[in-house]
mmCIF file with all atom_site columns, all heavy atoms in Angstrom:
data_model
loop_
_atom_site.group_PDB
_atom_site.id
_atom_site.type_symbol
_atom_site.label_atom_id
_atom_site.label_alt_id
_atom_site.label_comp_id
_atom_site.label_asym_id
_atom_site.label_entity_id
_atom_site.label_seq_id
_atom_site.pdbx_PDB_ins_code
_atom_site.Cartn_x
_atom_site.Cartn_y
_atom_site.Cartn_z
_atom_site.occupancy
_atom_site.B_iso_or_equiv
_atom_site.pdbx_formal_charge
_atom_site.auth_seq_id
_atom_site.auth_comp_id
_atom_site.auth_asym_id
_atom_site.auth_atom_id
_atom_site.pdbx_PDB_model_num
ATOM 1  N N   . MET O 1 1  ? -1.229 31.181  -36.366 1.00 52.00 ? 1116 MET O N   1
ATOM 2  C CA  . MET O 1 1  ? -1.575 30.608  -35.085 1.00 52.00 ? 1116 MET O CA  1
ATOM 3  C C   . MET O 1 1  ? -0.546 31.093  -34.060 1.00 52.00 ? 1116 MET O C   1
ATOM 4  O O   . MET O 1 1  ? 0.650  31.036  -34.299 1.00 52.00 ? 1116 MET O O   1
ATOM 5  C CB  . MET O 1 1  ? -1.563 29.087  -35.200 1.00 52.00 ? 1116 MET O CB  1
ATOM 6  C CG  . MET O 1 1  ? -2.044 28.414  -33.942 1.00 52.00 ? 1116 MET O CG  1
ATOM 7  S SD  . MET O 1 1  ? -2.075 26.616  -34.084 1.00 52.00 ? 1116 MET O SD  1
ATOM 8  C CE  . MET O 1 1  ? -3.547 26.387  -35.026 1.00 52.00 ? 1116 MET O CE  1
ATOM 9  N N   . PRO O 1 5  ? 1.695  30.906  -24.375 1.00 56.00 ? 1120 PRO O N   1
ATOM 10 C CA  . PRO O 1 5  ? 2.611  31.719  -23.575 1.00 56.00 ? 1120 PRO O CA  1
ATOM 11 C C   . PRO O 1 5  ? 3.437  30.824  -22.645 1.00 56.00 ? 1120 PRO O C   1
ATOM 12 O O   . PRO O 1 5  ? 2.995  29.757  -22.229 1.00 56.00 ? 1120 PRO O O   1
ATOM 13 C CB  . PRO O 1 5  ? 1.680  32.632  -22.762 1.00 56.00 ? 1120 PRO O CB  1
ATOM 14 C CG  . PRO O 1 5  ? 0.368  31.927  -22.765 1.00 56.00 ? 1120 PRO O CG  1
ATOM 15 C CD  . PRO O 1 5  ? 0.313  31.122  -24.029 1.00 56.00 ? 1120 PRO O CD  1
ATOM 16 N N   . GLU O 1 6  ? 4.648  31.267  -22.396 1.00 58.00 ? 1121 GLU O N   1
ATOM 17 C CA  . GLU O 1 6  ? 5.519  30.532  -21.478 1.00 58.00 ? 1121 GLU O CA  1
ATOM 18 C C   . GLU O 1 6  ? 4.897  30.531  -20.091 1.00 58.00 ? 1121 GLU O C   1
ATOM 19 O O   . GLU O 1 6  ? 4.357  31.531  -19.640 1.00 58.00 ? 1121 GLU O O   1
ATOM 20 C CB  . GLU O 1 6  ? 6.903  31.195  -21.409 1.00 58.00 ? 1121 GLU O CB  1
ATOM 21 C CG  . GLU O 1 6  ? 7.726  30.996  -22.664 1.00 58.00 ? 1121 GLU O CG  1
ATOM 22 C CD  . GLU O 1 6  ? 8.158  29.554  -22.848 1.00 58.00 ? 1121 GLU O CD  1
ATOM 23 O OE1 . GLU O 1 6  ? 8.500  28.894  -21.852 1.00 58.00 ? 1121 GLU O OE1 1
ATOM 24 O OE2 . GLU O 1 6  ? 8.153  29.096  -23.998 1.00 58.00 ? 1121 GLU O OE2 1
ATOM 25 N N   . ASN O 1 24 ? 3.799  21.787  -3.280  1.00 94.00 ? 1139 ASN O N   1
ATOM 26 C CA  . ASN O 1 24 ? 2.674  21.090  -3.901  1.00 94.00 ? 1139 ASN O CA  1
ATOM 27 C C   . ASN O 1 24 ? 3.159  20.318  -5.131  1.00 94.00 ? 1139 ASN O C   1
ATOM 28 O O   . ASN O 1 24 ? 4.356  20.293  -5.433  1.00 94.00 ? 1139 ASN O O   1
ATOM 29 C CB  . ASN O 1 24 ? 1.545  22.069  -4.238  1.00 94.00 ? 1139 ASN O CB  1
ATOM 30 C CG  . ASN O 1 24 ? 1.984  23.128  -5.220  1.00 94.00 ? 1139 ASN O CG  1
ATOM 31 O OD1 . ASN O 1 24 ? 2.885  22.931  -6.036  1.00 94.00 ? 1139 ASN O OD1 1
ATOM 32 N ND2 . ASN O 1 24 ? 1.348  24.282  -5.157  1.00 94.00 ? 1139 ASN O ND2 1
ATOM 33 N N   . GLU O 1 31 ? 10.868 20.849  -9.240  1.00 94.00 ? 1146 GLU O N   1
ATOM 34 C CA  . GLU O 1 31 ? 12.077 20.390  -8.545  1.00 94.00 ? 1146 GLU O CA  1
ATOM 35 C C   . GLU O 1 31 ? 12.728 19.224  -9.289  1.00 94.00 ? 1146 GLU O C   1
ATOM 36 O O   . GLU O 1 31 ? 13.949 19.130  -9.375  1.00 94.00 ? 1146 GLU O O   1
ATOM 37 C CB  . GLU O 1 31 ? 11.718 19.970  -7.116  1.00 94.00 ? 1146 GLU O CB  1
ATOM 38 C CG  . GLU O 1 31 ? 12.863 19.537  -6.272  1.00 94.00 ? 1146 GLU O CG  1
ATOM 39 C CD  . GLU O 1 31 ? 13.619 20.692  -5.619  1.00 94.00 ? 1146 GLU O CD  1
ATOM 40 O OE1 . GLU O 1 31 ? 13.123 21.830  -5.627  1.00 94.00 ? 1146 GLU O OE1 1
ATOM 41 O OE2 . GLU O 1 31 ? 14.707 20.430  -5.104  1.00 94.00 ? 1146 GLU O OE2 1
ATOM 42 N N   . GLY O 1 33 ? 12.104 18.457  -12.564 1.00 94.00 ? 1148 GLY O N   1
ATOM 43 C CA  . GLY O 1 33 ? 12.269 18.741  -13.986 1.00 94.00 ? 1148 GLY O CA  1
ATOM 44 C C   . GLY O 1 33 ? 11.360 17.902  -14.874 1.00 94.00 ? 1148 GLY O C   1
ATOM 45 O O   . GLY O 1 33 ? 11.729 17.561  -15.998 1.00 94.00 ? 1148 GLY O O   1
ATOM 46 N N   . VAL O 1 68 ? 11.683 14.071  -1.628  1.00 96.00 ? 1183 VAL O N   1
ATOM 47 C CA  . VAL O 1 68 ? 11.301 13.663  -2.978  1.00 96.00 ? 1183 VAL O CA  1
ATOM 48 C C   . VAL O 1 68 ? 12.528 13.669  -3.894  1.00 96.00 ? 1183 VAL O C   1
ATOM 49 O O   . VAL O 1 68 ? 12.738 12.732  -4.673  1.00 96.00 ? 1183 VAL O O   1
ATOM 50 C CB  . VAL O 1 68 ? 10.190 14.569  -3.542  1.00 96.00 ? 1183 VAL O CB  1
ATOM 51 C CG1 . VAL O 1 68 ? 9.940  14.293  -5.012  1.00 96.00 ? 1183 VAL O CG1 1
ATOM 52 C CG2 . VAL O 1 68 ? 8.902  14.388  -2.753  1.00 96.00 ? 1183 VAL O CG2 1
ATOM 53 N N   . ASP O 1 70 ? 15.699 13.282  -3.063  1.00 95.00 ? 1185 ASP O N   1
ATOM 54 C CA  . ASP O 1 70 ? 16.555 12.152  -2.690  1.00 95.00 ? 1185 ASP O CA  1
ATOM 55 C C   . ASP O 1 70 ? 15.991 10.842  -3.234  1.00 95.00 ? 1185 ASP O C   1
ATOM 56 O O   . ASP O 1 70 ? 16.732 10.004  -3.750  1.00 95.00 ? 1185 ASP O O   1
ATOM 57 C CB  . ASP O 1 70 ? 16.712 12.064  -1.172  1.00 95.00 ? 1185 ASP O CB  1
ATOM 58 C CG  . ASP O 1 70 ? 17.515 13.215  -0.600  1.00 95.00 ? 1185 ASP O CG  1
ATOM 59 O OD1 . ASP O 1 70 ? 18.219 13.920  -1.367  1.00 95.00 ? 1185 ASP O OD1 1
ATOM 60 O OD2 . ASP O 1 70 ? 17.434 13.426  0.629   1.00 95.00 ? 1185 ASP O OD2 1
ATOM 61 N N   . TRP O 1 72 ? 14.046 10.508  -5.865  1.00 94.00 ? 1187 TRP O N   1
ATOM 62 C CA  . TRP O 1 72 ? 14.133 10.553  -7.317  1.00 94.00 ? 1187 TRP O CA  1
ATOM 63 C C   . TRP O 1 72 ? 15.549 10.207  -7.793  1.00 94.00 ? 1187 TRP O C   1
ATOM 64 O O   . TRP O 1 72 ? 15.722 9.480   -8.770  1.00 94.00 ? 1187 TRP O O   1
ATOM 65 C CB  . TRP O 1 72 ? 13.727 11.942  -7.799  1.00 94.00 ? 1187 TRP O CB  1
ATOM 66 C CG  . TRP O 1 72 ? 13.462 12.029  -9.259  1.00 94.00 ? 1187 TRP O CG  1
ATOM 67 C CD1 . TRP O 1 72 ? 14.238 12.624  -10.196 1.00 94.00 ? 1187 TRP O CD1 1
ATOM 68 C CD2 . TRP O 1 72 ? 12.315 11.526  -9.956  1.00 94.00 ? 1187 TRP O CD2 1
ATOM 69 N NE1 . TRP O 1 72 ? 13.654 12.530  -11.420 1.00 94.00 ? 1187 TRP O NE1 1
ATOM 70 C CE2 . TRP O 1 72 ? 12.472 11.854  -11.297 1.00 94.00 ? 1187 TRP O CE2 1
ATOM 71 C CE3 . TRP O 1 72 ? 11.182 10.833  -9.544  1.00 94.00 ? 1187 TRP O CE3 1
ATOM 72 C CZ2 . TRP O 1 72 ? 11.539 11.509  -12.268 1.00 94.00 ? 1187 TRP O CZ2 1
ATOM 73 C CZ3 . TRP O 1 72 ? 10.254 10.496  -10.507 1.00 94.00 ? 1187 TRP O CZ3 1
ATOM 74 C CH2 . TRP O 1 72 ? 10.437 10.831  -11.847 1.00 94.00 ? 1187 TRP O CH2 1
ATOM 75 N N   . PRO O 1 79 ? 16.247 1.434   -18.602 1.00 78.00 ? 1194 PRO O N   1
ATOM 76 C CA  . PRO O 1 79 ? 15.838 1.925   -19.919 1.00 78.00 ? 1194 PRO O CA  1
ATOM 77 C C   . PRO O 1 79 ? 14.921 0.925   -20.622 1.00 78.00 ? 1194 PRO O C   1
ATOM 78 O O   . PRO O 1 79 ? 15.010 -0.283  -20.407 1.00 78.00 ? 1194 PRO O O   1
ATOM 79 C CB  . PRO O 1 79 ? 17.151 2.089   -20.678 1.00 78.00 ? 1194 PRO O CB  1
ATOM 80 C CG  . PRO O 1 79 ? 18.162 1.330   -19.916 1.00 78.00 ? 1194 PRO O CG  1
ATOM 81 C CD  . PRO O 1 79 ? 17.663 1.174   -18.513 1.00 78.00 ? 1194 PRO O CD  1
ATOM 82 N N   . GLU O 1 89 ? 8.776  -9.036  -38.346 1.00 62.00 ? 1204 GLU O N   1
ATOM 83 C CA  . GLU O 1 89 ? 8.074  -10.306 -38.371 1.00 62.00 ? 1204 GLU O CA  1
ATOM 84 C C   . GLU O 1 89 ? 7.785  -10.863 -36.989 1.00 62.00 ? 1204 GLU O C   1
ATOM 85 O O   . GLU O 1 89 ? 7.125  -11.881 -36.868 1.00 62.00 ? 1204 GLU O O   1
ATOM 86 C CB  . GLU O 1 89 ? 8.889  -11.312 -39.171 1.00 62.00 ? 1204 GLU O CB  1
ATOM 87 C CG  . GLU O 1 89 ? 9.042  -10.884 -40.622 1.00 62.00 ? 1204 GLU O CG  1
ATOM 88 C CD  . GLU O 1 89 ? 9.942  -11.799 -41.395 1.00 62.00 ? 1204 GLU O CD  1
ATOM 89 O OE1 . GLU O 1 89 ? 10.299 -12.884 -40.888 1.00 62.00 ? 1204 GLU O OE1 1
ATOM 90 O OE2 . GLU O 1 89 ? 10.314 -11.442 -42.526 1.00 62.00 ? 1204 GLU O OE2 1
#
Side-chain angles (χ1 to χ4, degrees):
M1116 186 178 282
E1121 288 291 321
N1139 61 27
E1146 183 83 12
V1183 171
D1185 292 344
W1187 194 253
E1204 297 175 11

